[in-house]
Amino acid sequence: DFSPEFSRVLIEDEVLSVTPAGTAKCRCLTVDEDSSFTANDIAVHNSLLVCVFWPAWVWIRLPVTRWLFATYSQAFTLRDSDKCRQLIRSDWYQKNWPSVQIRAEQDSKTKFENTATGWRLATSVGGHGTGEHPDRIIADDCHNVKQSQSEIERQRGVDWWNNTISTRGQVRSSRRVVIMQRLHANDLSGDIISKGLW
């Protein structure tokens, strides 16, 4: 049976007060492309949580959900798509949620569909997006860190989001998620913030 609750007890620490402490040096975490880091002993990797686990989790309750994922590199988007497919096909997942099945005739790394008409599309900045009507649009690193200092490359990501993605999913009242590190004041996050869409 599906349970929205975790089976373990969550022990939370109550915040009693917040006191300004002034300026101090802080620790900056740099994570390589396929690495994770830990925060309070919890493994953290945004791409896994959002691009792999999230759609597999949502399909348990809402298998009709349609997903569009994009990053600056098609290779990374396909990597996460394949991990999501493998998770759904795993013995563990199928044992617990056998109603979620990937249709054999609609099964590729680029786009796969389940038997309830939900699908997951993997694309890239500048890539396929028109003609699709997703419920969730996720942009995971629209800018390449190495190319982010180029105004042309930054604008390419912003233009793709504003011109291609802005009209996707409107008929389905789609929700949008942007995951990225800030690379420049005029990156995609900066453009979203400047328009008051944050």
Side-chain angles (χ1 to χ4, degrees), residues 33 70-74 76 124-125 140-145 156:
E33 295 290 350
T71 184
Y72 71 87
S73 168
Q74 180 79 3
F76 294 138
S124 61
V125 172
D140 182 10
D141 288 330
C142 280
H143 303 292
N144 181 325
V145 174
R156 181 174 169 258

Side-chain angles (χ1 to χ4, degrees), residues 120-144:
R120 186 192 188 289
L121 172 66
T123 189
S124 61
V125 172
H128 181 71
T130 55
E132 302 293 347
H133 302 285
D135 299 299
R136 304 290 179 267
I137 300 171
I138 293 84
D140 182 10
D141 288 330
C142 280
H143 303 292
N144 181 325

